[in-house]
């Protein structure tokens, strides 16, 4: 929402905007021809509706089969002057060109919301703004009514109703059959009578996604709160919300609109759903991937009278706005469409399949003449259940063709069972993805017997940090060395963030999972001596209370070691600020290699049963491209070397502002938080980047290993910590259970 507001205000304030009054000649902006259709194989067809080339489309709404919108365009390719106007356009098979509604958009003014009425009039929310850049503020908000000739016959100032709010910006707007206006502003709904007087307001327990008036005349608000996606009627009689209903099928609401017969349409990142206001049930209408589309928060959902749906997608690259308008309509009887492509399934945990990844998948799917990629998401309603199901599908050979590996998995197990394809042969044949183009140590961490069975698209480093004055340049240590260090500080308040027996045992297992169990050794693969050593070390932390104020403990030297995640140079700078000096990264105690762990939630792999492995690799190759890996919004380290260097370069670039006297000064690029501690982040130094590069280049093992073995171990350790069993007895039980598990997995 903030990004939307920023773009609107840039066009309003930073350019000279000329409104279109009645009689003003407007530059001809013909619509282009419709694009080819996409068939979902069921009841709907998607067509791309090509609008004219606008600099910016602000708000859209529909009435019947007519689309209304306000847009800004450059006059005569002169980017110093932008013209704004209201448009209407008939959305039918014989799509007409846009027609200007000659309403005059005033200077410093923006149309924020549009509500078209059946009689052709338009209700508008119009804001007036002053200031420049970050100091832009709304000085007035009007509710206006205009006719098709642009004549204004109603205007009521509203901003005084919202003076209690820190931020004043309407997020949704609708009218009911009695002409009452309903306006949402994040977590509040405001209701005004037909003359513009405030009637009442209600508060929500979360962000209001949208509000709409059904065909029955009832107004419903949809928001994301403590119960997830929730819908409720705004009751004008009781002046409260009606019964609240959780919409479990819609994980993240992206848009809401009135459908037919009293129904409400809800868009999520997976598809569009129809909520029946009578039965209070929700059914899927279609999935975006059926039409090789993706959806995110910046889109707009618009239902037409014939049951079709319009979806406006918007992107905000540095060069300006990009938008696409798609009509998804019911298929006509006997309608001929192009043959359906063959399908490859891309699957993974829903939390790992973000919009950037979806966009890349859809772009590949559109460009491939033979295959469409269908996305299968696990864990939308239950993360743990989804992770378990994905693991089970992989082990049983029912996994997707291309997949993101689950959070807890065994690369050794998957590779030895022949479940995954070795990707090195495909990489070696691809000139755009040579091994030398990527961090060799990161690739090596995902190898099994020289084969590469998964590639992380990006990653972070999980490590343990401490002051350099105390640790020197130590870059790793084993369990014995860490025990010696801990003994020196045990009685000064503790060593770890949470010095409990269970937590310390988990930390020990985290870095030693790769050497605790040797799959190749079979029954003799359990390191019993190492496990007993971990138990005895963790047992020392039985009676050490700890303070939850993490930052305070570090700064008061009551804690010497801090488990941290490093996914940017800024993270390193923030930890140095917390410790008050430069930090070292000994990592977790490891008996084998470096103790800093590679962690990625987006490890992509190919099933050995994939229908077309070459096509699957082409998709992965696009995710490893310079373009994908170098995106500024990639919030972890990219695996491609050149993209990592670009990220380091951006970290060293300073941000500046110019004061009223024309003096240029450096300003923070952002703020980092560690518990209660916060610090501003400025341009990184060469020493900062060198420290992070050294951390990245020396990490040689992945955090993710067999989650089942962790569960087996942790299920038995409490018997030792409580004194019921000896360390040797617990080790015997764990060894026996792991032996059985290994046999079952062969």
């Amino acid at each position: 929402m903030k990004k939307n507001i920023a773009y609107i205000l840039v066009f309003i304030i930073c350019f000279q905007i000329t409104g279109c009054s009645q009689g003003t000649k407007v530059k001809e902006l013909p619509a282009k021809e419709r694009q080819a259709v996409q068939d979902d194989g069921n009841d709907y067809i998607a067509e791309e509706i090509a609008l004219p080339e606008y600099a910016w489309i602000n708000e859209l709404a529909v009435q019947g089969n007519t689309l209304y919108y306000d847009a800004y365009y450059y006059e005569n390719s002169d980017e110093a002057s932008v013209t704004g106007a209201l448009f209407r356009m008939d959305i039918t098979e014989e799509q007409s060109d846009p027609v200007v509604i000659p309403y005059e958009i005033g200077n410093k003014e923006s149309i924020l919301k549009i509500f078209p009425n059946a009689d052709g009039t338009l209700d508008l929310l119009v804001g007036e703004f002053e200031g420049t850049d970050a100091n832009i503020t709304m000085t007035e908000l009007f509710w206006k009514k205009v006719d098709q000739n642009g004549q204004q016959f109603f205007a009521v100032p509203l901003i005084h109703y919202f003076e209690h709010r820190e931020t004043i910006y309407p997020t949704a707007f609708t009218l009911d059959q009695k002409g009452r206006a309903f306006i949402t502003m994040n977590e509040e709904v405001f209701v005004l009578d037909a003359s513009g007087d405030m009637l009442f307001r209600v508060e929500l327990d979360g962000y209001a996604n949208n509000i709409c008036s059904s065909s029955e005349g009832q107004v419903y608000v949809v928001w994301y709160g403590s119960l997830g996606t929730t819908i409720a009627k705004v009751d004008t009689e009781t002046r409260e919300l009606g019964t609240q209903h959780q919409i479990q099928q819609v994980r993240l609401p992206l848009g809401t609109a009135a459908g037919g017969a009293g129904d409400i349409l809800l868009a999520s990142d997976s598809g569009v759903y129809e909520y029946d206001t009578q039965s209070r049930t929700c059914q899927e209408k279609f999935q975006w991937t059926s039409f090789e589309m993706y959806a995110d928060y910046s889109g707009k959902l618009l239902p037409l009278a014939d049951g079709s749906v319009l979806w406006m997608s918007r992107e905000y690259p540095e060069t300006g706005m990009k938008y696409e308008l798609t009509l998804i309509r019911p298929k006509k009887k006997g309608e001929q469409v192009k043959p359906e492509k063959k399908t490859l399934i891309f699957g993974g945990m829903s939390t790992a399949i973000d919009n950037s990844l979806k966009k890349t998948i859809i772009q590949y799917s559109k460009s491939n003449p033979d295959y469409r990629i269908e996305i299968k998401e696990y864990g939308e309603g239950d993360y743990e259940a989804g992770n378990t199901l994905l693991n089970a599908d992989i082990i049983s050979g029912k996994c997707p063709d291309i997949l993101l590996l689950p959070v807890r998995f065994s690369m050794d197990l998957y590779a030895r069972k022949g479940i995954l394809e070795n990707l090195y042969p495909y990489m070696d044949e691809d000139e755009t993805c040579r091994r030398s183009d990527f961090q060799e140590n990161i690739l090596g961490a995902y190898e099994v017997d020289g084969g590469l069975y998964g590639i992380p698209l990006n990653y972070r480093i999980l490590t343990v940090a401490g002051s350099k004055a105390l640790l020197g340049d130590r870059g790793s240590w084993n369990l014995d060395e860490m025990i010696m260090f801990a003994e020196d500080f045990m009685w000064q308040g503790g060593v770890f963030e949470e010095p409990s027996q269970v937590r310390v045992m988990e930390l020990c297992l985290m870095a030693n999972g790769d050497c605790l169990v040797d799959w190749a050794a079979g029954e003799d693969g359990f390191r019993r001596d190492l496990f007993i050593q971990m138990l005895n070390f963790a047992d020392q932390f039985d009676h050490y209370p700890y303070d939850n104020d993490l930052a305070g403990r570090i700064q008061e030297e009551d804690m010497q070691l801090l488990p941290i995640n490093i996914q940017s140079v800024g993270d390193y700078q923030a930890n140095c600020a917390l410790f008050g000096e430069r930090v070292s990264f000994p990592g977790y105690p490891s008996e084998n290699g470096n103790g800093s762990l590679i962690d990625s939630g987006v490890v992509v792999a190919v099933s050995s049963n994939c229908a077309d492995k070459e096509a699957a690799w082409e998709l992965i190759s696009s995710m490893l491209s310079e373009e994908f890996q170098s995106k500024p919004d990639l919030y972890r380290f990219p695996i491609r070397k050149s993209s990592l260097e670009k990220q380091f370069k951006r970290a060293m670039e300073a941000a500046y502002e110019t004061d009223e006297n024309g003096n240029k000064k450096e300003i923070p690029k952002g703020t980092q938080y560690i518990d209660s501690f916060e610090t501003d982040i400025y341009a990184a130094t060469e020493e900062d980047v060198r420290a992070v590069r050294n951390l990245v280049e020396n990490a040689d093992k992945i955090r993710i290993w067999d989650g089942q073995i962790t569960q087996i171990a942790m299920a038995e350790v409490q018997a030792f910590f409580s004194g019921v069993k000896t360390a040797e007895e617990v080790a015997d039980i764990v060894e026996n259970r792991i032996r059985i598990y290994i046999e079952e997995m062969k």
Side-chain angles (χ1 to χ4, degrees), residues 479 482-483 486 490 495-512 533-542 544 588-589 714 717 721:
L479 194 57
M482 188 177 194
I483 290 172
M490 194 77 74
V495 180
F496 302 110
E497 174 186 358
E498 184 183 335
S500 66
Q501 295 165 320
V502 170
R503 180 56 180 154
V504 173
M505 188 66 187
E506 287 174 343
L507 296 179
C508 291
L509 285 170
M510 184 181 293
N512 291 283
Q533 187 182 23
M534 293 179 191
L535 281 174
N536 288 324
F537 175 56
D539 190 46
Q540 299 178 68
F541 294 86
D542 189 14
Y544 294 96
Y588 297 93
M714 294 307 298
V717 297
F721 295 144

Side-chain angles (χ1 to χ4, degrees), residues 529-595:
D529 57 335
L530 178 59
F531 185 74
I532 291 174
Q533 187 182 23
M534 293 179 191
L535 281 174
N536 288 324
F537 175 56
D539 190 46
Q540 299 178 68
F541 294 86
D542 189 14
H543 302 294
Y544 294 96
Y546 59 92
D547 187 342
N548 285 326
D549 183 11
L550 178 63
R553 291 173 61 199
I554 290 289
Q555 294 177 322
E556 294 173 13
E557 299 184 356
D558 284 340
M559 184 172 71
Q560 286 71 41
L561 301 177
L562 178 64
I564 59 173
N565 306 325
I566 299 289
Q567 58 188 30
S568 69
V569 178
D571 289 338
Y572 171 76
Q573 293 172 280
N575 279 279
C576 289
L578 174 62
F579 278 89
E581 59 178 301
R582 294 203 170 271
V583 296
S584 293
F585 303 108
Y588 297 93
S590 173
E591 302 302 304
N592 180 22
N594 193 283

Side-chain angles (χ1 to χ4, degrees), residues 458-460 567 599-602 633-638 647:
N458 54 58
Y459 60 94
R460 61 180 179 172
Q567 58 188 30
D599 178 52
S600 175
V602 282
D633 59 353
L634 190 70
Y635 295 114
R636 294 189 177 189
F637 297 124
Q647 191 179 99

